[in-house]
Amino acid sequence: MEYRQLGKTGFKISEVSLGTWQLGSKWGDPFDENDAQNTLSAAYDAGVNFFDTADIYQDGLSERALATFIKGKRDKVFVSTKVGRKLDPHVASGYTPANITKFVEESLRNLDVDALDNVLLHCPPTAVYYTPEVFFTLDQLKKAGKIKNYGVSVERVEEAMKALDYDISAVEIIYNMFRLRPADRFFKMAQEQNVGIIARVPLASGLLSGKYTLDTAFGKADHRNFNRHGEAFDQGETFSGVDYATGVRAADELKERLHAGDHLAQMALRYILMADAVSTVIPGASKPEQISRNVAAADVPAFTPEQMVIVRDVYDKYIKDPVQYRW
């Protein structure tokens, strides 16, 4: 495992880390504490020292599982959590100082720590980025010692750019072979301000595993079933906003042209790490055995210039219109 600096936090984090949206269960299934602890342990043993969570993941159980896990490891791991999506409705006016403070306090209790390593606003509405009082509240929480760093998780590149106006340490953004636009301008801007980049949805909700077909079925409670057109939350969260059938065809072509065999997922993660601006990539895992497949990406050879061209070619052919223009 190699380690990269997470922006101005001063912390070096594993370049392949763990996103915990699926921790302890598949999407929509009951939470299993044993699976959660075993998965966290497998990640840690493989060199992972960065864990991404959120207050709404498994209704707080993800944060609490991490609290149990990090006891005795506090100086060796970095936990980033997200807040804001408890708001119902999830609207910009809900991002008040009182609500933000309340969410931070709840995460402090869930994680059983005196200060949160990093807090990200959890894909807030675009108007929030134009409400400086929100970020000034985070500044005050930082001065009070309740959070050490803060940043944003975003849906759109423009939101990430606007967030650079504030004293953020990191941006979490969708970046993968089907979502190339962040690298066009934003990555350089973030590097110039020493802001870390956390690459989320790295496999486009599994499309870039190369294992899905037009006949693949997803569970009733799985967002890959019920959110394909943005029925529940931003469409870009599901398959990176790519039409499913189009994504299957694009993944199949990548698999063939890159000679990926059964390793397209690892190659997709390695592609993300080709960008120096990326601090870490956060594939998820619901079982310990999935960890080894994720971290194997760190051992995949660097992409050749010819391979980089193939990725862009497939993107331009299948994905760019309309994904490039929406996110």
Side-chain angles (χ1 to χ4, degrees):
M1 181 68 70
E2 299 292 331
Y3 298 83
R4 301 185 181 194
Q5 186 92 359
L6 180 63
K8 62 188 73 166
T9 68
F11 203 96
K12 283 198 168 184
I13 61 174
S14 45
E15 62 181 12
V16 180
S17 296
L18 181 64
T20 65
W21 189 4
Q22 304 169 61
L23 184 69
S25 72
K26 294 180 179 178
W27 281 306
D29 289 350
F31 183 81
D32 187 305
E33 178 69 23
N34 287 332
D35 277 349
Q37 294 302 323
N38 290 336
T39 301
L40 292 168
S41 293
Y44 183 75
D45 291 344
V48 172
N49 70 346
F50 178 84
F51 300 89
D52 172 85
T53 187
D55 55 4
I56 61 166
Y57 289 172
Q58 303 289 358
D59 196 25
L61 293 177
S62 174
E63 286 185 328
R64 292 173 197 163
L66 274 162
T68 299
F69 175 73
I70 64 177
K71 289 191 184 302
K73 307 180 184 72
R74 200 69 201 97
D75 296 332
K76 300 176 182 179
V77 299
F78 190 102
V79 177
S80 179
T81 194
K82 298 184 288 294
V83 301
R85 295 308 290 259
K86 286 182 179 180
L87 292 170
D88 187 16
H90 184 233
V91 294
S93 60
Y95 279 79
T96 64
N99 281 336
I100 294 169
T101 301
K102 175 174 174 277
F103 297 151
V104 166
E105 295 281 5
E106 289 170 350
S107 288
L108 284 167
R109 289 194 293 272
N110 280 346
L111 286 163
D112 194 20
V113 293
D114 296 326
L116 300 174
D117 290 334
N118 192 51
V119 173
L120 303 176
L121 299 182
H122 198 170
C123 298
T126 301
V128 168
Y129 299 91
Y130 295 86
T131 310
E133 293 79 10
V134 171
F135 297 89
F136 297 163
T137 298
L138 293 167
D139 288 331
Q140 291 302 314
L141 289 167
K142 189 174 178 180
K143 289 178 181 177
K146 294 187 177 182
I147 63 178
K148 298 177 183 178
N149 303 277
Y150 72 82
V152 291
S153 182
V154 303
E155 300 289 4
R156 291 171 172 78
V157 172
E158 286 77 11
E159 294 168 344
M161 291 178 173
K162 178 60 180 172
L164 294 175
D165 284 349
Y166 306 102
D167 188 27
I168 61 172
S169 295
V171 170
E172 189 172 287
I173 191 168
I174 298 176
Y175 177 62
N176 57 49
M177 287 176 168
F178 287 171
R179 190 73 80 83
L180 301 185
R181 187 170 169 235
D184 291 346
R185 287 179 56 208
F186 170 65
F187 281 5
K188 182 178 180 181
M189 294 171 65
Q191 280 184 301
E192 288 173 348
Q193 295 195 33
N194 195 23
V195 170
I197 293 174
I198 303 163
R200 66 188 188 94
V201 195
L203 299 180
S205 306
L207 272 176
L208 287 167
S209 69
K211 297 179 180 179
Y212 294 171
T213 70
L214 296 179
D215 297 322
T216 301
F218 301 97
K220 185 177 180 180
D222 191 319
H223 73 101
R224 294 173 293 185
N225 178 45
F226 66 76
N227 192 57
R228 291 192 183 188
H229 304 288
E231 295 92 336
F233 39 81
D234 192 275
Q235 185 181 350
E237 298 282 348
T238 302
F239 302 127
S240 294
V242 178
D243 168 74
Y244 181 73
T246 301
V248 169
R249 290 194 296 272
D252 286 345
E253 184 163 328
L254 281 169
K255 189 174 179 179
E256 178 182 353
R257 293 178 64 182
L258 292 172
H259 307 290
D262 294 329
H263 304 291
L264 182 61
Q266 287 82 10
M267 292 190 74
L269 297 177
R270 184 66 182 89
Y271 173 83
I272 293 169
L273 295 172
M274 291 296 294
D276 291 339
V278 171
S279 305
T280 188
V281 57
I282 52 169
S286 58
K287 297 285 185 180
E289 52 268 26
Q290 295 169 337
I291 294 295
S292 59
R293 295 198 292 269
N294 290 344
V295 299
D299 297 322
V300 173
F303 272 54
T304 65
E306 292 77 15
Q307 288 176 315
M308 297 294 284
V309 169
I310 288 171
V311 175
R312 176 64 71 167
D313 183 49
V314 171
Y315 174 82
D316 288 345
K317 179 179 178 181
Y318 292 99
I319 310 299
K320 184 175 181 178
D321 183 11
V323 169
Q324 175 98 357
Y325 308 103
R326 294 190 62 181
W327 289 280

